[in-house]
PDB file of all heavy atoms in Angstrom:
ATOM      1  N   LYS A 792       0.544   6.864  13.755  1.00 94.00           N
ATOM      2  CA  LYS A 792       1.557   7.888  13.792  1.00 94.00           C
ATOM      3  C   LYS A 792       2.714   7.487  14.686  1.00 94.00           C
ATOM      4  O   LYS A 792       3.905   7.656  14.360  1.00 94.00           O
ATOM      5  CB  LYS A 792       0.974   9.224  14.242  1.00 94.00           C
ATOM      6  CG  LYS A 792       1.976  10.383  14.251  1.00 94.00           C
ATOM      7  CD  LYS A 792       1.291  11.685  14.690  1.00 94.00           C
ATOM      8  CE  LYS A 792       2.305  12.833  14.696  1.00 94.00           C
ATOM      9  NZ  LYS A 792       1.679  14.115  15.113  1.00 94.00           N
ATOM     10  N   GLU A 793       2.405   6.927  15.874  1.00 92.00           N
ATOM     11  CA  GLU A 793       3.441   6.475  16.771  1.00 92.00           C
ATOM     12  C   GLU A 793       4.261   5.349  16.179  1.00 92.00           C
ATOM     13  O   GLU A 793       5.499   5.352  16.273  1.00 92.00           O
ATOM     14  CB  GLU A 793       2.792   5.975  18.095  1.00 92.00           C
ATOM     15  CG  GLU A 793       2.241   7.072  18.978  1.00 92.00           C
ATOM     16  CD  GLU A 793       1.661   6.487  20.272  1.00 92.00           C
ATOM     17  OE1 GLU A 793       1.670   5.249  20.400  1.00 92.00           O
ATOM     18  OE2 GLU A 793       1.198   7.277  21.101  1.00 92.00           O
ATOM     19  N   LEU A 794       3.585   4.375  15.596  1.00 91.00           N
ATOM     20  CA  LEU A 794       4.298   3.241  15.016  1.00 91.00           C
ATOM     21  C   LEU A 794       5.191   3.650  13.861  1.00 91.00           C
ATOM     22  O   LEU A 794       6.296   3.099  13.673  1.00 91.00           O
ATOM     23  CB  LEU A 794       3.286   2.174  14.560  1.00 91.00           C
ATOM     24  CG  LEU A 794       2.463   1.530  15.680  1.00 91.00           C
ATOM     25  CD1 LEU A 794       1.403   0.600  15.088  1.00 91.00           C
ATOM     26  CD2 LEU A 794       3.356   0.751  16.635  1.00 91.00           C
ATOM     27  N   LEU A 795       4.731   4.644  13.087  1.00 92.00           N
ATOM     28  CA  LEU A 795       5.557   5.172  11.994  1.00 92.00           C
ATOM     29  C   LEU A 795       6.801   5.867  12.532  1.00 92.00           C
ATOM     30  O   LEU A 795       7.910   5.679  12.020  1.00 92.00           O
ATOM     31  CB  LEU A 795       4.728   6.152  11.143  1.00 92.00           C
ATOM     32  CG  LEU A 795       3.747   5.561  10.143  1.00 92.00           C
ATOM     33  CD1 LEU A 795       2.847   6.662   9.579  1.00 92.00           C
ATOM     34  CD2 LEU A 795       4.458   4.831   9.017  1.00 92.00           C
ATOM     35  N   SER A 796       6.626   6.662  13.569  1.00 90.00           N
ATOM     36  CA  SER A 796       7.736   7.401  14.128  1.00 90.00           C
ATOM     37  C   SER A 796       8.784   6.471  14.758  1.00 90.00           C
ATOM     38  O   SER A 796       9.970   6.796  14.765  1.00 90.00           O
ATOM     39  CB  SER A 796       7.252   8.420  15.178  1.00 90.00           C
ATOM     40  OG  SER A 796       6.725   7.756  16.308  1.00 90.00           O
ATOM     41  N   GLU A 797       8.336   5.332  15.242  1.00 86.00           N
ATOM     42  CA  GLU A 797       9.229   4.359  15.861  1.00 86.00           C
ATOM     43  C   GLU A 797       9.862   3.446  14.818  1.00 86.00           C
ATOM     44  O   GLU A 797      10.777   2.673  15.142  1.00 86.00           O
ATOM     45  CB  GLU A 797       8.485   3.520  16.877  1.00 86.00           C
ATOM     46  CG  GLU A 797       7.994   4.316  18.075  1.00 86.00           C
ATOM     47  CD  GLU A 797       6.995   3.544  18.910  1.00 86.00           C
ATOM     48  OE1 GLU A 797       6.814   2.351  18.654  1.00 86.00           O
ATOM     49  OE2 GLU A 797       6.374   4.158  19.801  1.00 86.00           O
ATOM     50  N   GLY A 798       9.385   3.524  13.578  1.00 86.00           N
ATOM     51  CA  GLY A 798       9.922   2.687  12.513  1.00 86.00           C
ATOM     52  C   GLY A 798       9.425   1.261  12.513  1.00 86.00           C
ATOM     53  O   GLY A 798       9.924   0.418  11.750  1.00 86.00           O
ATOM     54  N   VAL A 799       8.429   0.977  13.329  1.00 87.00           N
ATOM     55  CA  VAL A 799       7.875  -0.365  13.394  1.00 87.00           C
ATOM     56  C   VAL A 799       7.079  -0.695  12.155  1.00 87.00           C
ATOM     57  O   VAL A 799       7.096  -1.816  11.636  1.00 87.00           O
ATOM     58  CB  VAL A 799       7.014  -0.555  14.657  1.00 87.00           C
ATOM     59  CG1 VAL A 799       6.399  -1.964  14.679  1.00 87.00           C
ATOM     60  CG2 VAL A 799       7.858  -0.346  15.898  1.00 87.00           C
ATOM     61  N   ILE A 800       6.368   0.305  11.603  1.00 89.00           N
ATOM     62  CA  ILE A 800       5.642   0.123  10.349  1.00 89.00           C
ATOM     63  C   ILE A 800       6.103   1.164   9.342  1.00 89.00           C
ATOM     64  O   ILE A 800       6.697   2.204   9.737  1.00 89.00           O
ATOM     65  CB  ILE A 800       4.109   0.249  10.549  1.00 89.00           C
ATOM     66  CG1 ILE A 800       3.708   1.644  10.999  1.00 89.00           C
ATOM     67  CG2 ILE A 800       3.628  -0.814  11.538  1.00 89.00           C
ATOM     68  CD1 ILE A 800       2.203   1.892  11.067  1.00 89.00           C
ATOM     69  N   ILE A 801       5.824   0.954   8.079  1.00 91.00           N
ATOM     70  CA  ILE A 801       6.171   1.910   7.026  1.00 91.00           C
ATOM     71  C   ILE A 801       5.005   2.000   6.051  1.00 91.00           C
ATOM     72  O   ILE A 801       4.131   1.120   5.997  1.00 91.00           O
ATOM     73  CB  ILE A 801       7.449   1.493   6.282  1.00 91.00           C
ATOM     74  CG1 ILE A 801       7.280   0.100   5.683  1.00 91.00           C
ATOM     75  CG2 ILE A 801       8.662   1.573   7.176  1.00 91.00           C
ATOM     76  CD1 ILE A 801       8.457  -0.379   4.842  1.00 91.00           C
ATOM     77  N   GLU A 802       5.014   3.087   5.266  1.00 90.00           N
ATOM     78  CA  GLU A 802       4.015   3.209   4.227  1.00 90.00           C
ATOM     79  C   GLU A 802       4.317   2.223   3.088  1.00 90.00           C
ATOM     80  O   GLU A 802       5.462   1.960   2.774  1.00 90.00           O
ATOM     81  CB  GLU A 802       3.997   4.637   3.679  1.00 90.00           C
ATOM     82  CG  GLU A 802       3.524   5.667   4.696  1.00 90.00           C
ATOM     83  CD  GLU A 802       3.364   7.035   4.094  1.00 90.00           C
ATOM     84  OE1 GLU A 802       3.607   7.215   2.864  1.00 90.00           O
ATOM     85  OE2 GLU A 802       2.972   7.982   4.817  1.00 90.00           O
ATOM     86  N   ALA A 803       3.248   1.678   2.513  1.00 88.00           N
ATOM     87  CA  ALA A 803       3.401   0.635   1.482  1.00 88.00           C
ATOM     88  C   ALA A 803       2.616   0.988   0.245  1.00 88.00           C
ATOM     89  O   ALA A 803       1.962   0.121  -0.356  1.00 88.00           O
ATOM     90  CB  ALA A 803       2.993  -0.704   2.050  1.00 88.00           C
ATOM     91  N   GLY A 804       2.588   2.257  -0.128  1.00 89.00           N
ATOM     92  CA  GLY A 804       1.888   2.638  -1.341  1.00 89.00           C
ATOM     93  C   GLY A 804       0.462   3.090  -1.069  1.00 89.00           C
ATOM     94  O   GLY A 804       0.074   3.386   0.057  1.00 89.00           O
ATOM     95  N   ARG A 805      -0.312   3.132  -2.138  1.00 89.00           N
ATOM     96  CA  ARG A 805      -1.677   3.605  -2.065  1.00 89.00           C
ATOM     97  C   ARG A 805      -2.653   2.480  -2.418  1.00 89.00           C
ATOM     98  O   ARG A 805      -2.380   1.622  -3.262  1.00 89.00           O
ATOM     99  CB  ARG A 805      -1.914   4.753  -3.033  1.00 89.00           C
ATOM    100  CG  ARG A 805      -1.064   5.973  -2.747  1.00 89.00           C
ATOM    101  CD  ARG A 805      -1.656   6.783  -1.602  1.00 89.00           C
ATOM    102  NE  ARG A 805      -0.920   8.024  -1.348  1.00 89.00           N
ATOM    103  CZ  ARG A 805      -1.251   8.922  -0.484  1.00 89.00           C
ATOM    104  NH1 ARG A 805      -2.359   8.762   0.247  1.00 89.00           N
ATOM    105  NH2 ARG A 805      -0.527  10.030  -0.325  1.00 89.00           N
ATOM    106  N   GLY A 806      -3.816   2.484  -1.761  1.00 83.00           N
ATOM    107  CA  GLY A 806      -4.828   1.531  -2.043  1.00 83.00           C
ATOM    108  C   GLY A 806      -5.747   2.017  -3.159  1.00 83.00           C
ATOM    109  O   GLY A 806      -5.542   3.096  -3.718  1.00 83.00           O
ATOM    110  N   GLN A 807      -6.752   1.238  -3.447  1.00 83.00           N
ATOM    111  CA  GLN A 807      -7.683   1.581  -4.503  1.00 83.00           C
ATOM    112  C   GLN A 807      -8.660   2.648  -4.024  1.00 83.00           C
ATOM    113  O   GLN A 807      -9.220   2.548  -2.944  1.00 83.00           O
ATOM    114  CB  GLN A 807      -8.441   0.336  -4.954  1.00 83.00           C
ATOM    115  CG  GLN A 807      -9.298   0.560  -6.211  1.00 83.00           C
ATOM    116  CD  GLN A 807      -9.895  -0.748  -6.712  1.00 83.00           C
ATOM    117  OE1 GLN A 807      -9.685  -1.795  -6.142  1.00 83.00           O
ATOM    118  NE2 GLN A 807     -10.640  -0.643  -7.810  1.00 83.00           N
ATOM    119  N   SER A 808      -8.855   3.649  -4.832  1.00 76.00           N
ATOM    120  CA  SER A 808      -9.761   4.728  -4.460  1.00 76.00           C
ATOM    121  C   SER A 808     -11.220   4.277  -4.566  1.00 76.00           C
ATOM    122  O   SER A 808     -11.607   3.528  -5.433  1.00 76.00           O
ATOM    123  CB  SER A 808      -9.555   5.929  -5.392  1.00 76.00           C
ATOM    124  OG  SER A 808     -10.519   6.938  -5.150  1.00 76.00           O
ATOM    125  N   THR A 809     -12.019   4.740  -3.620  1.00 74.00           N
ATOM    126  CA  THR A 809     -13.473   4.485  -3.631  1.00 74.00           C
ATOM    127  C   THR A 809     -14.251   5.745  -3.977  1.00 74.00           C
ATOM    128  O   THR A 809     -15.437   5.880  -3.688  1.00 74.00           O
ATOM    129  CB  THR A 809     -13.948   3.950  -2.265  1.00 74.00           C
ATOM    130  OG1 THR A 809     -13.592   4.905  -1.253  1.00 74.00           O
ATOM    131  CG2 THR A 809     -13.308   2.620  -1.965  1.00 74.00           C
ATOM    132  N   GLY A 810     -13.568   6.695  -4.603  1.00 72.00           N
ATOM    133  CA  GLY A 810     -14.225   7.926  -5.007  1.00 72.00           C
ATOM    134  C   GLY A 810     -13.438   9.142  -4.577  1.00 72.00           C
ATOM    135  O   GLY A 810     -13.574  10.230  -5.188  1.00 72.00           O
ATOM    136  N   GLY A 811     -12.667   9.020  -3.531  1.00 75.00           N
ATOM    137  CA  GLY A 811     -11.878  10.164  -3.062  1.00 75.00           C
ATOM    138  C   GLY A 811     -10.391   9.878  -3.252  1.00 75.00           C
ATOM    139  O   GLY A 811      -9.986   9.171  -4.149  1.00 75.00           O
ATOM    140  N   LYS A 812      -9.585  10.445  -2.373  1.00 84.00           N
ATOM    141  CA  LYS A 812      -8.148  10.251  -2.423  1.00 84.00           C
ATOM    142  C   LYS A 812      -7.813   8.804  -2.068  1.00 84.00           C
ATOM    143  O   LYS A 812      -8.334   8.259  -1.088  1.00 84.00           O
ATOM    144  CB  LYS A 812      -7.481  11.201  -1.417  1.00 84.00           C
ATOM    145  CG  LYS A 812      -5.951  11.125  -1.395  1.00 84.00           C
ATOM    146  CD  LYS A 812      -5.403  12.120  -0.402  1.00 84.00           C
ATOM    147  CE  LYS A 812      -3.889  12.032  -0.331  1.00 84.00           C
ATOM    148  NZ  LYS A 812      -3.314  12.961   0.680  1.00 84.00           N
ATOM    149  N   PRO A 813      -6.939   8.139  -2.840  1.00 89.00           N
ATOM    150  CA  PRO A 813      -6.580   6.755  -2.535  1.00 89.00           C
ATOM    151  C   PRO A 813      -5.960   6.679  -1.125  1.00 89.00           C
ATOM    152  O   PRO A 813      -5.154   7.502  -0.742  1.00 89.00           O
ATOM    153  CB  PRO A 813      -5.518   6.433  -3.607  1.00 89.00           C
ATOM    154  CG  PRO A 813      -5.810   7.378  -4.731  1.00 89.00           C
ATOM    155  CD  PRO A 813      -6.288   8.646  -4.081  1.00 89.00           C
TER     156      PRO A 813
END
Side-chain angles (χ1 to χ4, degrees):
K792 183 178 179 180
E793 287 182 358
L794 295 173
L795 283 169
S796 67
E797 295 167 9
V799 177
I800 65 173
I801 57 176
E802 293 186 1
R805 297 283 185 175
Q807 188 171 2
S808 173
T809 57
K812 182 180 178 182

